[in-house]
């Protein structure tokens, strides 16, 4: 258990330098910390705001050790950071939050669901698949529709196929079982949810927890499109979501912030879909809308500082800005001046060098005391933004 406070100007080492690392670094720098990131891409988003970047592959233990030796505390910003790298650093005596045992569970969809079941948290029905004959067996036994996913490495809908009809079976087999590098698969029954929601929660080394307001998440093509906070759900569903998220983070004994993604059924039952052992896209609204942002809270947790209040100052809607088919590699975002004329709009761009379809390039957050107005304004602002050559 870590009791020691790590105070500014100590050095925080972040494995991964994407937008989540960038927003963590923003908060850490504001608080007076020094930040070093390790990422294979030179001048990655986090490198643009932190003190130093170690350009290296995530598998490079030698470079990971260099990061650890230069830092007082370590964290990571994406769930697919190699378990081997994090556990190696722990074996060498360095503190990494959340601990590698959290990664071990969350990096494997089967282990994750087994863990959730073992602590009494509901999930969708699932079955580990070894190969396509397994799939045929279960499809006839367990029925359709279903989601077939790789157990490891998937994110934003990558590595998964929606299987609706038995006729699509051979197509699915071809797509899933011919994938290079994928070794195992999971069959999940399709949840006809009425909403997707998430809870961002935080835990310190003493076991105290805090939760951010439940958010409502709308996905397009399995990628988060919009987050609305607070979620438009019943008091009963909200209570279940908080209870489940707290149970999950306590059982994981994670130190830091994690995101718990959930499905809400027509009957108001809450099932956990996935655990993200890191700050989460659906918590970006907290930068403007809460007294303490999820990034601030994560820095507080890993440095042994007190929980900040997660109280909301205003309702919020967040929309992701993705690369799309209209964009070229070197496109720039246009329409900003019009979008920013709308009341309550804040723009975040992540400084990624090339625009690609589906790539998360930035987001906008809109605050309003009227939640529906925040949603409408966010939609209008998004419509005004486009990629230009
Ligand atoms: P995931 O990578 O598991 O977070 O899945 C990405 C998105 O796909 C989710 O946010 C849902 O919109 C959808 N999805 C994934 N699994 C299921 C499921 N078992 N039932 C219904 N929708 C799902």
């Amino acid at each position: 258990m870590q009791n020691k406070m790590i105070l500014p100007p100590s050095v925080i080492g972040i494995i991964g330098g994407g937008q989540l690392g960038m927003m963590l670094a923003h908060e850490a720098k504001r608080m007076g910390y020094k930040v070093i990131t390790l990422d294979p891409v030179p001048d990655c988003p986090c490198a643009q705001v932190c003190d130093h970047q170690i350009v290296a592959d995530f598998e490079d233990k030698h470079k990971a050790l260099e990061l650890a030796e230069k830092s007082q505390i370590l964290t990571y910003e994406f769930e697919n950071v190699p378990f081997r790298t994090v556990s190696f650093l722990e074996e060498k005596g360095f503190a990494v939050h959340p601990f590698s045992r959290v990664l071990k569970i969350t990096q494997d969809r089967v282990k994750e669901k087994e863990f959730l079941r073992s602590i009494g948290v509901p999930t969708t029905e699932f079955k580990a698949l070894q190969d396509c004959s397994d799939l045929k067996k279960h499809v006839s036994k367990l029925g359709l529709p279903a989601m077939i996913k790789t157990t490891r490495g998937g994110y934003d809908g990558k590595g998964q196929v929606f299987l609706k009809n038995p006729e699509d079976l051979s197509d699915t087999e071809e797509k899933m079982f011919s994938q290079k590098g994928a070794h195992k698969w999971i069959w999940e029954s399709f949840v006809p949810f009425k909403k997707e929601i998430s809870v961002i929660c935080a835990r310190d080394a003493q076991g105290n927890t805090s939760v951010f307001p439940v958010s409502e998440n709308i996905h397009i093509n399995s990628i988060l499109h919009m987050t609305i906070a607070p979620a438009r759900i019943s008091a009963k569903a909200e209570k279940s979501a908080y209870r489940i998220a707290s149970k999950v983070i306590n059982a994981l004994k994670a130190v830091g912030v994690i995101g718990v993604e959930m499905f809400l059924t027509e009957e108001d039952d809450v099932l956990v879909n996935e655990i993200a052992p890191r700050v989460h896209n659906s918590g970006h609204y907290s930068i403007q809308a809460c007294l303490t942002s999820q990034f601030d809270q994560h820095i507080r947790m890993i440095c042994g500082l007190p929980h900040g209040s997660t109280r909301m100052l205003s309702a919020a809607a967040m929309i992701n800005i993705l690369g799309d088919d209209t964009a070229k590699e070197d496109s720039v975002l246009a329409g900003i001046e019009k979008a920013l004329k709308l009341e309550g709009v804040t723009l975040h761009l992540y400084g990624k060098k090339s625009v690609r379809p589906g790539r998360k390039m930035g987001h906008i957050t809109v605050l309003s005391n009227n939640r529906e107005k925040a949603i409408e304004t966010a939609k209008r602002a998004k419509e005004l933004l486009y990629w230009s050559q």
Side-chain angles (χ1 to χ4, degrees):
M1 191 170 83
Q2 172 207 335
N3 284 314
K4 202 175 74 184
M5 269 192 295
I6 293 162
L7 293 169
S10 298
V11 180
I12 298 174
I14 306 177
I15 304 172
Q19 67 269 18
L20 299 177
M22 179 193 200
M23 288 182 268
L24 280 171
H26 267 305
E27 294 286 2
K29 292 296 297 170
R30 176 182 54 71
M31 291 165 84
Y33 289 99
K34 300 245 176 279
V35 180
I36 306 181
T37 187
L38 182 149
D39 193 280
V41 179
D43 201 29
C44 59
C46 185
Q48 295 168 34
V49 298
C50 75
D51 296 275
H52 177 61
Q53 176 180 9
I54 296 174
V55 180
D57 194 87
F58 299 120
E59 301 275 1
D60 188 335
K61 289 185 179 169
H62 181 71
K63 289 290 182 185
L65 205 54
E66 183 187 325
L67 176 75
E69 279 162 355
K70 287 183 168 149
S71 309
Q72 271 76 56
I73 189 73
L74 296 162
T75 188
Y76 45 88
E77 58 105 51
F78 73 114
E79 62 272 43
N80 291 324
V81 54
F83 169 78
R84 280 190 303 271
T85 302
V86 176
S87 60
F88 165 77
L89 294 174
E90 287 173 342
E91 280 156 25
K92 293 277 174 198
F94 296 100
V96 189
H97 291 311
F99 306 112
S100 66
R101 64 161 186 273
V102 175
L103 275 181
K104 191 160 204 163
I105 295 168
T106 57
Q107 282 184 345
D108 184 308
R109 290 184 192 272
V110 174
K111 282 203 180 81
E112 185 175 70
K113 287 200 166 51
E114 283 169 353
F115 160 77
L116 289 165
R117 289 282 174 104
S118 75
I119 60 167
V121 167
T123 69
T124 180
E125 293 303 319
F126 69 98
K127 185 93 196 155
L129 303 174
Q130 300 304 328
D131 55 33
C132 49
S133 65
D134 244 15
L135 174 60
K136 283 194 190 115
K137 214 159 58 200
H138 294 298
V139 160
S140 54
K141 214 157 72 195
L142 297 161
L144 294 177
M147 298 293 289
I148 313 300
K149 304 179 182 177
T150 53
T151 54
R152 307 178 73 88
Y155 66 98
D156 284 344
K158 291 187 177 68
Q160 56 179 264
V161 173
F162 173 55
L163 181 53
K164 194 172 174 197
N165 306 304
E167 305 86 76
D168 304 334
L169 202 57
S170 51
D171 222 31
T172 302
E173 278 170 13
E174 200 172 307
K175 268 194 214 143
M176 296 303 291
F177 296 101
S178 61
Q179 278 183 41
K180 279 199 198 110
H183 301 298
K184 295 227 171 84
W185 297 265
I186 180 172
W187 170 93
E188 288 180 18
S189 68
F190 184 81
V191 182
F193 54 79
K194 74 173 170 195
K195 275 185 200 299
E196 289 190 78
I197 56 174
S198 57
V199 176
I200 309 298
C201 47
R203 183 177 173 279
D204 61 28
Q206 286 70 42
N208 306 302
T209 58
S210 56
V211 287
F212 284 81
V214 183
S215 66
E216 177 181 338
N217 304 318
I218 298 163
H219 291 79
I220 297 180
N221 296 330
S222 297
I223 303 179
L224 183 65
H225 166 63
M226 174 158 37
T227 290
I228 300 157
R232 295 168 296 181
I233 56 175
S234 70
K236 175 187 166 237
E238 187 185 34
K239 212 167 140 199
S240 307
Y242 285 140
R243 185 178 44 76
I244 287 174
S246 304
K247 196 169 189 177
V248 169
I249 197 165
N250 275 321
L252 285 171
K253 295 194 174 70
V255 172
V257 162
I258 68 165
V260 184
E261 300 173 19
M262 307 167 188
F263 297 130
L264 182 65
T265 68
E266 284 298 340
E267 297 73 37
D268 258 2
D269 291 329
V270 175
L271 310 180
V272 171
N273 173 36
E274 211 174 25
I275 308 165
R278 51 164 173 79
V279 283
H280 194 258
N281 195 169
S282 69
H284 291 359
Y285 75 87
S286 63
I287 299 175
Q288 279 82 24
C290 297
L291 274 174
T292 308
S293 77
Q294 63 164 344
F295 303 100
D296 185 342
Q297 196 78 309
H298 186 68
I299 300 297
R300 286 170 178 248
M301 295 302 96
I302 66 171
C303 292
L305 295 169
H307 290 254
S309 164
T310 57
R311 186 159 66 80
M312 275 196 107
L313 300 166
S314 162
M318 187 279 322
I319 295 189
N320 275 331
I321 301 169
L322 305 182
D324 62 24
D325 294 337
T326 67
K328 298 225 165 64
E329 279 252 323
D330 57 351
S331 290
V332 291
L333 193 67
I336 292 173
E337 68 291 353
K338 287 196 177 129
L340 289 184
K341 271 198 188 131
L342 302 176
E343 189 175 312
V345 177
T346 317
L347 173 70
H348 295 248
L349 286 178
Y350 307 145
K352 292 185 184 175
K353 297 287 177 279
S354 51
V355 191
R356 290 194 293 272
R359 191 173 198 203
K360 290 177 180 167
M361 303 302 295
H363 72 267
I364 45 174
T365 299
V366 180
L367 297 192
S368 170
N369 288 334
N370 178 329
R371 183 171 44 194
E372 294 309 313
K373 191 164 171 224
I375 298 168
E376 280 320 304
T377 307
K379 285 183 185 163
R380 274 173 52 214
K382 179 64 182 40
E383 274 166 20
L384 293 167
L385 298 169
Y386 60 97
W387 293 106
S388 152
Q389 269 41 264

